[in-house]
Amino acid sequence: MKVGVLALQGAFREQREVFAALGCEAFEVRSARDLAATDALVLPGGESTAIAHLLRTGDLLDPLKERIEAGVPVLATCAGLIISAREVVGGLKGQVGLDILDVTVKRNAYGNQQQSFEAPIDISISPDPFPGVFIRAPVIERVGDDIEVLGAHDGSPVLVRAGKVWASTFHPELSGDLRIHQAFIQSASE
Amino acid sequence: MSSESDRHHTGTVRVKRGLAEMLRGGVIMDVVDADQARIAQDAGAVAVMALERVPSDIRRDGGVARMSDPSMIENIQATVTIPVMAKCRIGHFAEAQILESLGVDYIDESEVLTPADEAHHVDKWAFTTPFVCGATNLGEALRRISEGACMIRSKGEAGTGNIVEAVRHLRSILGTIRSLTVADESELFVWAKELRAPLELVQEVARLGELPVPMFCAGGIATPADASLVLQLGAQAVFVGSGIFKSSDPASRAKAIVEATTHYREPAIVAKVSRGLGEAMPGEEIAGLETRLSERGW
């Protein structure tokens, strides 16, 4: 499977390495021409305002949205989730997004870096808890009718899925645990 | 039975280094007030460094440079949603404690300020807030990591607009790492001694082929081409201090350096964003400097 990792800014290298470790051909996406060969897409963590800015200046927003709406599976983490969301609380004025996931997400909802944390998360795709790494993480405040909640923490969804789009508020790529990536790859191959 | 609080951990190495990972491929900009912070955020900065004077002004003014006024830092925190960093003096753990109490996202134990301790750096493991430290060579970088730094920036020579020292430090750190990767186990003992660094860290670097924490570049970046240069050399993100707000058109230059940092391997894009930016900050020859900031810290 060819996995394109959006590499405008953020933790794209970690995502590329995890997918490569799982036998995928993972490569970095910085422009619209890099999108053509993708069987799946990753929208990594990073700073969502910077990524949104670079999507706009690089004329990448519409080609990316078209590719996803054509049915390419997506794994979005943290900032990637914010970029994907229908509605963002606490974003910049005029901050662009893909609107591929019907959720309302609040940026930096736990507070500053001192509130970044690790905690085990119960996930429905596996019997054992998943090591959640939350870094200046957002909180999903509302989910649409088509959203399946696969994991929650403190009463809020932290891992969700809408068809071929998977999204988490935490960073599975930093946890050393491959189960979420494996489940995503399996569903993307179906 | 474990309670929720037993299972909820803040300040772990993973979340501290993790924030540095999230800043990769980005530009961290020095700002002195809320207006500059807003310009930086709108230009696509991944974080801002809040300080009262940019390095070129510190250099010009002379005297003792200290941590910024807390109200100035809070004002910037209230203005932007991206991470806010701030500087404490080398070894000044009380300033670091104050910055932690303000809730800054990263503390820079910085040679740009006047050192407070000539032998000891801050014990950075004692803090929940992660630290970034400067380094001119691999031994210095590993000593800072052993003290708990979660991000290293090559020092360069801050406030000069001259990239030559940044290149020297990057090449030194990365060149030595390359030497470690081909050394055998017994040679690593000698390397640890020569680098004055813990053996375990030397062995880890030899195995990884890179530092165990992200390495960014600082000190002298003034143009989009400078950003492209240091990223191609192996830096993973850039700090731009005086280079943006001492230029003639900060908003345009800030955006251009952000784009050049993302598309650093595409000369056509770096060329496009380099057009019509006006005057870069006035630069300085390293040989003419009264104070070499990069020589502070050990």
Side-chain angles (χ1 to χ4, degrees):
Chain A
M1 181 184 291
K2 291 180 179 169
V3 180
V5 181
L6 187 69
L8 297 177
Q9 190 276 315
F12 49 85
R13 198 182 82 170
E14 288 71 18
Q15 291 283 10
R16 203 190 62 213
E17 286 170 355
V18 171
F19 278 97
L22 291 170
C24 298
E25 187 186 323
F27 58 94
E28 296 178 359
V29 171
R30 286 192 173 79
S31 69
R33 69 171 184 272
D34 300 331
L35 285 171
T38 50
D39 300 321
L41 271 165
V42 180
L43 307 177
E47 199 47 50
S48 64
T49 56
I51 296 172
H53 174 84
L54 288 158
L55 278 174
R56 191 162 45 79
T57 57
D59 294 323
L60 197 51
L61 189 71
D62 291 337
L64 195 57
K65 191 171 160 71
E66 279 165 29
R67 194 87 185 106
I68 294 164
E69 285 175 345
V72 173
V74 176
L75 175 64
T77 54
C78 197
L81 185 157
I82 295 169
I83 301 288
S84 304
R86 174 149 303 164
E87 196 182 354
V88 177
V89 177
L92 296 190
K93 205 177 157 204
Q95 182 171 335
V96 298
L98 291 164
D99 188 12
I100 53 169
L101 194 67
D102 184 14
V103 298
T104 300
V105 63
K106 184 179 182 189
R107 289 182 63 219
N108 306 335
Y110 297 95
N112 61 37
Q113 170 65 10
Q114 283 168 41
Q115 275 71 51
S116 292
F117 65 98
E118 293 187 62
I121 307 299
D122 290 322
I123 52 173
S124 61
I125 55 172
S126 181
D128 298 319
F130 192 89
V133 181
F134 295 79
I135 297 172
R136 283 173 49 95
V139 165
I140 297 173
E141 294 190 324
R142 178 196 65 84
V143 294
D145 294 338
D146 64 335
I147 303 287
E148 191 184 345
V149 176
L150 304 177
H153 180 68
D154 280 351
S156 297
V158 294
L159 177 64
V160 298
R161 179 182 175 181
K164 291 183 171 179
V165 179
W166 293 54
S168 67
T169 63
F170 57 96
H171 293 279
E173 79 284 6
L174 297 183
S175 67
D177 189 318
L178 304 176
R179 280 176 290 159
I180 290 173
H181 286 84
Q182 283 166 329
F184 169 74
I185 290 170
Q186 195 183 354
S187 83
S189 319
E190 281 164 4
Chain B
M1 206 179 119
S2 68
S3 71
E4 191 66 23
S5 61
D6 291 335
R7 297 166 8 124
H8 180 110
H9 298 286
T10 57
T12 63
V13 169
R14 197 168 263 166
V15 299
K16 287 172 159 183
R17 291 184 183 176
L19 180 57
E21 309 282 3
M22 295 309 138
L23 302 177
R24 270 188 213 259
V27 183
I28 299 150
M29 302 183 191
D30 279 5
V31 297
V32 302
D33 58 32
D35 283 343
Q36 290 189 356
R38 206 173 288 115
I39 290 169
Q41 179 170 265
D42 289 345
V46 291
V48 291
M49 177 73 70
L51 73 177
E52 277 167 341
R53 294 174 293 169
V54 295
S56 63
D57 288 340
I58 290 173
R59 199 177 272 294
R60 184 200 62 206
D61 296 349
V64 174
R66 309 179 179 91
M67 179 190 79
S68 297
D69 185 327
S71 62
M72 175 271 171
I73 295 168
E74 286 167 332
N75 197 13
I76 288 171
Q77 288 175 308
T79 303
V80 296
T81 62
I82 57 178
V84 175
M85 304 185 178
K87 291 181 193 289
C88 72
R89 284 178 265 178
I90 289 173
H92 206 314
F93 55 84
E95 284 187 350
Q97 289 163 352
I98 292 168
L99 294 176
E100 173 150 279
S101 80
L102 296 176
V104 305
D105 295 291
Y106 241 93
I107 298 171
D108 184 359
E109 186 182 18
S110 178
E111 71 283 359
V112 167
L113 305 183
T114 310
D117 189 320
E118 291 187 332
H120 308 89
H121 281 249
V122 173
D123 170 13
K124 294 164 272 286
W125 298 111
F127 290 77
T128 304
T129 309
F131 278 72
V132 52
C133 289
T136 59
N137 57 54
L138 183 61
E140 197 176 359
L142 296 182
R143 287 192 291 280
R144 296 297 86 76
I145 293 168
S146 74
E147 296 156 0
C150 290
M151 179 201 300
I152 293 294
R153 53 175 175 73
S154 56
K155 282 180 179 171
E157 192 56 40
T160 62
N162 189 337
I163 198 69
V164 67
E165 292 301 298
V167 169
R168 185 196 316 281
H169 300 153
L170 268 179
R171 282 199 182 275
S172 169
I173 295 168
L174 295 165
T176 309
I177 290 175
R178 278 188 283 273
S179 304
L180 291 189
T181 61
V182 294
D184 68 21
E185 281 300 318
S186 55
E187 288 169 332
L188 292 179
F189 289 101
V190 181
W191 270 112
K193 196 171 127 196
E194 287 180 358
L195 292 170
R196 293 187 293 126
L199 176 65
E200 307 78 61
L201 276 176
V202 171
Q203 290 168 328
E204 187 177 7
V205 169
R207 191 175 68 247
L208 295 172
E210 62 177 2
L211 294 180
V213 305
M215 189 181 68
F216 295 178
C217 177
I221 295 163
T223 68
D226 289 345
S228 170
L229 175 69
V230 298
L231 280 142
Q232 290 189 62
L233 284 172
Q236 294 159 347
V238 294
F239 285 82
V240 186
S242 324
I244 289 172
F245 289 100
K246 288 292 172 185
S247 73
S248 64
D249 182 357
S252 300
R253 186 165 293 268
K255 283 181 189 149
I257 293 177
V258 166
E259 284 193 60
T261 300
T262 291
H263 301 287
Y264 67 96
R265 280 183 293 218
E266 299 274 357
I269 295 179
V270 182
K272 187 182 89 180
V273 302
S274 298
R275 292 194 182 105
L277 292 180
E279 291 292 315
M281 69 174 283
E284 295 203 50
E285 278 283 356
I286 303 298
L289 298 177
E290 275 180 36
T291 306
R292 300 280 287 266
L293 300 177
S294 62
E295 290 172 359
R296 296 169 166 175
W298 29 87

